[in-house]
Coordinates of all heavy atoms in Angstrom, one line a residue:
N225 N 11.6 16.5 4.2 CA 11.6 17.6 3.1 C 11.2 18.9 3.7 O 11.8 20.0 3.4 CB 10.7 17.1 2.1 CG 11.2 16.0 1.1 OD1 12.2 15.7 1.0 ND2 10.2 15.4 0.4
N226 N 10.3 18.8 4.6 CA 9.8 20.2 5.2 C 10.7 20.6 6.3 O 10.8 21.9 6.5 CB 8.3 19.9 5.7 CG 7.4 19.6 4.6 OD1 7.6 20.1 3.5 ND2 6.3 19.0 5.0
Q227 N 11.3 19.7 7.1 CA 12.2 20.0 8.2 C 13.5 19.2 8.1 O 13.6 18.2 8.7 CB 11.5 19.7 9.6 CG 10.2 20.5 9.8 CD 10.4 22.0 10.2 OE1 11.6 22.4 10.3 NE2 9.4 22.8 10.3
P228 N 14.4 19.7 7.3 CA 15.6 18.9 7.0 C 16.5 18.7 8.3 O 17.4 17.8 8.3 CB 16.5 19.8 6.0 CG 15.4 20.7 5.4 CD 14.4 20.9 6.5
K229 N 16.3 19.4 9.4 CA 17.0 19.0 10.6 C 16.7 17.6 11.1 O 17.7 17.0 11.7 CB 16.5 20.0 11.8 CG 17.1 21.4 11.6 CD 16.7 22.3 12.8 CE 17.2 23.7 12.7 NZ 16.9 24.5 13.9
F230 N 15.7 17.0 10.6 CA 15.4 15.6 11.1 C 16.1 14.6 10.2 O 16.0 13.4 10.5 CB 13.9 15.4 11.0 CG 13.1 16.0 12.2 CD1 12.5 17.2 12.0 CD2 12.8 15.4 13.3 CE1 11.8 18.0 12.9 CE2 12.1 16.0 14.2 CZ 11.6 17.2 14.0
I231 N 16.8 15.0 9.1 CA 17.6 13.9 8.4 C 18.5 13.1 9.2 O 19.2 13.5 10.1 CB 18.4 14.7 7.2 CG1 17.4 15.4 6.3 CG2 19.3 13.7 6.6 CD1 18.0 16.3 5.2
F232 N 18.4 11.8 8.9 CA 19.1 10.8 9.8 C 19.8 9.9 8.8 O 19.5 9.8 7.7 CB 18.2 10.0 10.7 CG 17.2 9.1 9.9 CD1 17.5 7.8 9.8 CD2 16.1 9.6 9.3 CE1 16.5 6.9 9.2 CE2 15.2 8.9 8.6 CZ 15.4 7.5 8.6
D233 N 20.8 9.2 9.3 CA 21.5 8.2 8.5 C 21.5 6.8 9.3 O 20.9 6.8 10.4 CB 22.9 8.5 8.1 CG 23.7 9.0 9.3 OD1 23.6 8.4 10.3 OD2 24.6 10.0 9.1
Q234 N 22.2 5.9 8.9 CA 22.2 4.6 9.7 C 23.2 4.5 10.8 O 23.2 3.5 11.5 CB 22.5 3.5 8.6 CG 21.4 3.3 7.6 CD 20.0 3.1 8.2 OE1 19.8 2.3 9.1 NE2 19.0 4.1 7.6
R235 N 24.0 5.5 11.0 CA 24.9 5.5 12.1 C 24.0 5.9 13.4 O 23.3 6.8 13.4 CB 26.0 6.5 11.9 CG 26.9 6.4 10.8 CD 27.8 7.4 10.6 NE 27.2 8.7 10.3 CZ 27.7 9.9 10.2 NH1 29.0 10.0 10.6 NH2 27.0 11.0 9.9
E236 N 24.4 5.1 14.5 CA 23.6 5.3 15.6 C 24.0 6.5 16.3 O 25.2 6.9 16.4 CB 23.8 4.1 16.6 CG 23.2 2.9 16.1 CD 23.4 1.8 17.2 OE1 24.1 1.9 18.2 OE2 22.8 0.7 16.9
R237 N 23.0 7.4 16.8 CA 23.3 8.7 17.4 C 23.1 8.5 18.9 O 22.0 8.3 19.3 CB 22.4 9.8 16.9 CG 22.5 10.1 15.5 CD 21.6 11.1 15.0 NE 21.8 12.4 15.6 CZ 22.5 13.4 15.2 NH1 23.0 13.3 14.1 NH2 22.5 14.5 15.8
Y238 N 24.1 8.3 19.6 CA 24.1 7.9 21.0 C 23.6 9.0 22.0 O 23.8 10.2 21.5 CB 25.4 7.4 21.5 CG 25.8 6.0 20.9 CD1 27.0 6.0 20.1 CD2 25.0 4.9 21.0 CE1 27.2 4.8 19.5 CE2 25.4 3.7 20.5 CZ 26.5 3.7 19.7 OH 26.8 2.5 19.1
N239 N 23.0 8.7 23.0 CA 22.6 9.7 23.9 C 21.7 10.9 23.4 O 22.0 12.0 23.4 CB 23.7 10.4 24.7 CG 24.3 9.6 25.8 OD1 25.4 9.1 25.8 ND2 23.4 9.4 26.8
P240 N 20.5 10.5 22.7 CA 19.6 11.5 22.3 C 19.1 12.3 23.5 O 18.7 11.7 24.4 CB 18.5 10.7 21.6 CG 18.6 9.3 22.2 CD 20.0 9.1 22.5
T241 N 19.1 13.6 23.2 CA 18.5 14.4 24.3 C 17.1 14.5 24.2 O 16.4 13.9 23.5 CB 19.2 15.8 24.2 OG1 18.7 16.5 23.0 CG2 20.7 15.8 24.2
G242 N 16.5 15.5 25.0 CA 15.0 15.7 24.9 C 14.6 16.6 23.8 O 13.5 16.9 23.6
F243 N 15.6 17.0 23.0 CA 15.3 17.7 21.7 C 14.6 16.9 20.8 O 15.1 15.7 20.4 CB 16.6 18.3 21.1 CG 16.6 19.2 19.9 CD1 15.4 20.0 19.8 CD2 17.5 19.1 18.9 CE1 15.3 20.7 18.6 CE2 17.4 19.9 17.8 CZ 16.3 20.8 17.6
V244 N 13.5 17.3 20.2 CA 12.6 16.3 19.5 C 13.3 15.9 18.2 O 13.0 14.8 17.7 CB 11.2 16.9 19.1 CG1 11.5 18.0 18.1 CG2 10.2 16.0 18.8
V245 N 14.2 16.7 17.7 CA 14.9 16.2 16.4 C 15.8 15.0 16.7 O 15.7 14.0 16.1 CB 15.7 17.4 15.8 CG1 16.7 16.9 14.8 CG2 14.9 18.6 15.4
E246 N 16.6 15.0 17.8 CA 17.4 13.9 18.2 C 16.5 12.7 18.7 O 16.9 11.6 18.4 CB 18.4 14.3 19.4 CG 19.4 15.4 18.9 CD 20.4 15.6 20.0 OE1 20.4 14.9 21.0 OE2 21.1 16.6 19.9
T247 N 15.4 13.0 19.3 CA 14.5 11.9 19.7 C 14.1 11.1 18.4 O 14.2 9.8 18.3 CB 13.3 12.5 20.4 OG1 13.7 13.3 21.6 CG2 12.3 11.4 20.7
L248 N 13.6 11.9 17.4 CA 13.0 11.1 16.2 C 14.2 10.5 15.4 O 14.0 9.4 14.7 CB 12.2 12.1 15.4 CG 10.8 12.3 16.0 CD1 9.8 12.7 14.9 CD2 10.2 11.2 16.8
Q249 N 15.3 11.2 15.3 CA 16.5 10.5 14.6 C 16.7 9.2 15.2 O 16.9 8.2 14.5 CB 17.6 11.5 14.7 CG 17.5 12.7 13.7 CD 18.7 13.7 13.9 OE1 19.2 13.8 15.0 NE2 19.1 14.3 12.8
A250 N 16.8 9.2 16.5 CA 17.0 7.8 17.2 C 15.9 6.8 16.9 O 16.2 5.6 16.6 CB 17.3 8.0 18.6
V251 N 14.6 7.3 17.0 CA 13.5 6.4 16.8 C 13.6 5.9 15.3 O 13.3 4.7 15.1 CB 12.3 7.1 17.1 CG1 11.0 6.3 16.6 CG2 12.1 7.4 18.6
F252 N 13.7 6.8 14.4 CA 13.7 6.4 12.9 C 14.8 5.3 12.7 O 14.6 4.2 12.1 CB 14.0 7.5 12.1 CG 12.9 8.6 12.0 CD1 13.1 9.9 11.6 CD2 11.6 8.2 12.4 CE1 12.1 10.8 11.6 CE2 10.5 9.1 12.4 CZ 10.8 10.5 11.9
Q253 N 16.1 5.5 13.2 CA 17.1 4.7 13.0 C 16.8 3.3 13.6 O 17.0 2.3 12.9 CB 18.4 5.2 13.6 CG 19.0 6.5 12.9 CD 19.9 7.2 13.7 OE1 20.0 7.0 14.9 NE2 20.8 8.0 13.1
A254 N 16.2 3.2 14.8 CA 16.0 2.0 15.4 C 14.9 1.3 14.7 O 15.0 0.0 14.5 CB 15.6 2.2 16.9
F255 N 13.8 2.0 14.3 CA 12.7 1.3 13.7 C 12.9 0.8 12.3 O 12.6 -0.4 11.9 CB 11.5 2.3 13.6 CG 10.3 1.8 12.9 CD1 9.5 0.8 13.5 CD2 9.8 2.2 11.6 CE1 8.4 0.3 12.9 CE2 8.7 1.7 11.0 CZ 7.9 0.7 11.6
F256 N 13.7 1.5 11.4 CA 14.0 1.0 10.2 C 15.1 0.1 10.0 O 15.3 -0.6 8.9 CB 14.1 2.3 9.2 CG 12.9 3.1 9.0 CD1 12.8 4.4 9.5 CD2 11.9 2.5 8.3 CE1 11.6 5.1 9.3 CE2 10.6 3.3 8.0 CZ 10.5 4.6 8.6
A257 N 16.0 0.0 11.1 CA 17.1 -0.8 11.0 C 16.9 -2.1 11.6 O 17.7 -3.1 11.6 CB 18.2 -0.2 11.8
T258 N 15.7 -2.4 12.2 CA 15.3 -3.7 12.9 C 14.1 -4.4 12.3 O 13.3 -3.7 11.4 CB 15.1 -3.5 14.4 OG1 14.0 -2.5 14.6 CG2 16.3 -3.0 15.1
D259 N 13.7 -5.6 12.6 CA 12.7 -6.3 12.1 C 11.8 -6.9 13.0 O 11.0 -7.9 12.7 CB 13.3 -7.4 11.2 CG 14.2 -8.5 11.8 OD1 14.3 -8.3 13.1 OD2 14.8 -9.2 11.1
S260 N 11.7 -6.4 14.2 CA 10.9 -6.9 15.2 C 10.6 -5.7 16.3 O 11.4 -4.9 16.4 CB 11.4 -8.2 16.0 OG 12.4 -7.8 16.8
F261 N 9.5 -5.8 17.0 CA 9.1 -4.9 18.1 C 10.3 -5.0 19.1 O 10.9 -4.0 19.5 CB 7.8 -5.4 18.6 CG 7.4 -4.4 19.9 CD1 6.8 -3.3 19.6 CD2 7.8 -4.8 21.3 CE1 6.5 -2.5 20.8 CE2 7.4 -4.0 22.3 CZ 6.8 -2.8 22.1
E262 N 10.7 -6.2 19.6 CA 11.7 -6.2 20.6 C 13.0 -5.6 20.2 O 13.7 -4.9 20.9 CB 11.8 -7.7 21.0 CG 12.9 -7.9 22.1 CD 12.9 -9.4 22.7 OE1 12.1 -10.2 22.4 OE2 13.9 -9.6 23.4
A263 N 13.4 -6.0 18.9 CA 14.7 -5.5 18.4 C 14.7 -4.0 18.4 O 15.7 -3.4 18.7 CB 15.0 -6.2 17.2
C264 N 13.7 -3.4 17.9 CA 13.5 -2.0 17.8 C 13.8 -1.3 19.2 O 14.5 -0.3 19.3 CB 12.2 -1.7 17.2 SG 11.9 0.2 17.1
L265 N 13.0 -1.8 20.2 CA 13.0 -1.2 21.5 C 14.4 -1.3 22.2 O 14.9 -0.5 22.8 CB 11.9 -1.7 22.4 CG 10.7 -0.7 22.3 CD1 10.1 -0.6 21.0 CD2 9.6 -1.1 23.4
V266 N 15.0 -2.5 22.1 CA 16.3 -2.8 22.6 C 17.3 -1.9 22.0 O 18.1 -1.3 22.6 CB 16.7 -4.2 22.5 CG1 18.1 -4.5 23.0 CG2 15.8 -5.1 23.4
N267 N 17.2 -1.8 20.7 CA 18.1 -0.8 20.0 C 18.1 0.6 20.4 O 19.1 1.2 20.8 CB 17.8 -1.0 18.4 CG 18.6 -0.1 17.6 OD1 18.8 1.1 17.8 ND2 19.3 -0.8 16.6
V268 N 16.8 1.1 20.6 CA 16.8 2.5 20.9 C 17.0 2.9 22.3 O 17.7 3.8 22.6 CB 15.4 3.0 20.4 CG1 14.3 2.8 21.5 CG2 15.5 4.5 20.2
V269 N 16.5 2.0 23.3 CA 16.8 2.3 24.7 C 18.3 2.2 25.1 O 18.8 2.8 26.0 CB 16.0 1.5 25.7 CG1 14.5 1.8 25.4 CG2 16.3 0.2 25.7
N270 N 19.0 1.3 24.4 CA 20.5 1.1 24.7 C 21.3 2.2 24.2 O 22.7 2.2 24.5 CB 21.0 -0.2 24.2 CG 20.5 -1.5 25.2 OD1 21.3 -1.7 26.2 ND2 19.4 -2.0 24.9
R271 N 20.8 3.1 23.6 CA 21.5 4.3 23.2 C 21.6 5.3 24.4 O 22.3 6.3 24.4 CB 20.8 5.1 22.0 CG 20.7 4.3 20.9 CD 19.8 4.9 19.8 NE 19.6 4.0 18.7 CZ 19.8 4.2 17.4 NH1 20.2 5.5 17.0 NH2 19.6 3.3 16.5
G272 N 20.7 5.1 25.3 CA 20.7 6.0 26.6 C 20.1 7.3 26.4 O 19.2 7.4 25.5
G273 N 20.6 8.2 27.0 CA 20.0 9.7 26.9 C 18.5 9.7 27.4 O 18.2 9.1 28.4
D274 N 17.6 10.3 26.6 CA 16.3 10.4 26.9 C 15.5 9.1 26.7 O 14.6 9.1 25.9 CB 15.6 11.6 26.4 CG 14.4 12.0 27.0 OD1 14.0 11.6 28.1 OD2 13.6 12.9 26.6
A275 N 16.0 8.0 27.3 CA 15.6 6.7 26.8 C 14.1 6.3 27.1 O 13.6 5.5 26.3 CB 16.6 5.6 27.5
D276 N 13.5 6.9 28.1 CA 12.1 6.5 28.3 C 11.3 7.1 27.2 O 10.3 6.5 26.7 CB 11.6 7.1 29.7 CG 11.8 8.6 29.9 OD1 12.7 9.2 29.2 OD2 10.9 9.2 30.7
T277 N 11.7 8.3 26.7 CA 10.9 9.0 25.7 C 11.1 8.4 24.2 O 10.3 8.1 23.4 CB 11.0 10.5 25.6 OG1 10.6 10.9 26.9 CG2 10.3 11.1 24.5
T278 N 12.4 8.1 24.0 CA 12.7 7.4 22.7 C 12.1 6.0 22.7 O 11.5 5.5 21.7 CB 14.3 7.3 22.4 OG1 14.8 6.6 23.5 CG2 14.8 8.7 22.1
G279 N 12.1 5.3 23.9 CA 11.4 4.1 24.0 C 9.9 4.1 23.9 O 9.2 3.3 23.2
A280 N 9.3 5.1 24.5 CA 7.8 5.3 24.3 C 7.4 5.6 22.9 O 6.4 5.0 22.4 CB 7.3 6.4 25.2
I281 N 8.1 6.5 22.2 CA 7.7 6.8 20.8 C 8.0 5.6 19.9 O 7.2 5.3 19.1 CB 8.4 8.1 20.5 CG1 7.9 9.3 21.2 CG2 8.1 8.3 19.0 CD1 8.6 10.6 20.9
A282 N 9.1 5.0 20.0 CA 9.5 3.8 19.2 C 8.3 2.8 19.5 O 8.0 2.0 18.6 CB 10.8 3.3 19.5
G283 N 8.0 2.6 20.8 CA 7.1 1.5 21.1 C 5.7 1.7 20.5 O 5.0 0.8 20.1
M284 N 5.2 3.0 20.5 CA 3.9 3.1 19.9 C 3.9 3.0 18.4 O 2.9 2.4 17.8 CB 3.3 4.7 20.2 CG 4.0 5.8 19.6 SD 3.4 7.4 20.0 CE 4.0 7.8 21.6
I285 N 4.9 3.4 17.7 CA 5.0 3.1 16.3 C 5.2 1.6 16.0 O 4.5 1.0 15.2 CB 6.2 3.9 15.8 CG1 6.0 5.4 15.8 CG2 6.5 3.5 14.2 CD1 7.2 6.3 15.5
A286 N 6.2 1.0 16.7 CA 6.4 -0.4 16.5 C 5.3 -1.4 16.9 O 5.0 -2.3 16.2 CB 7.7 -0.9 17.2
G287 N 4.6 -1.0 18.0 CA 3.4 -1.7 18.4 C 2.4 -1.8 17.3 O 1.8 -2.7 17.1
A288 N 2.1 -0.5 16.8 CA 1.1 -0.3 15.8 C 1.5 -1.3 14.5 O 0.7 -1.8 13.9 CB 1.0 1.1 15.3
Y289 N 2.8 -1.2 14.2 CA 3.2 -1.8 13.0 C 3.3 -3.4 13.1 O 2.9 -4.1 12.4 CB 4.6 -1.3 12.6 CG 5.2 -1.9 11.4 CD1 4.7 -1.5 10.0 CD2 6.1 -2.9 11.4 CE1 5.2 -2.1 8.9 CE2 6.6 -3.6 10.2 CZ 6.2 -3.2 9.1 OH 6.6 -3.8 7.9

Side-chain angles (χ1 to χ4, degrees):
N225 288 340
N226 293 336
Q227 297 285 357
K229 287 185 178 181
F230 286 91
I231 290 174
F232 67 102
D233 55 36
Q234 294 306 309
R235 293 174 299 169
E236 293 185 351
R237 298 174 64 93
Y238 293 116
N239 276 118
T241 67
F243 181 35
V244 74
V245 171
E246 294 187 10
T247 298
L248 286 202
Q249 285 173 330
V251 168
F252 293 158
Q253 288 164 344
F255 179 69
F256 291 111
T258 56
D259 59 5
S260 71
F261 177 87
E262 180 172 349
C264 175
L265 263 64
V266 170
N267 181 304
V268 80
V269 302
N270 278 274
R271 300 166 188 236
D274 200 9
D276 60 332
T277 299
T278 56
I281 295 174
M284 66 176 85
I285 296 170
Y289 180 78

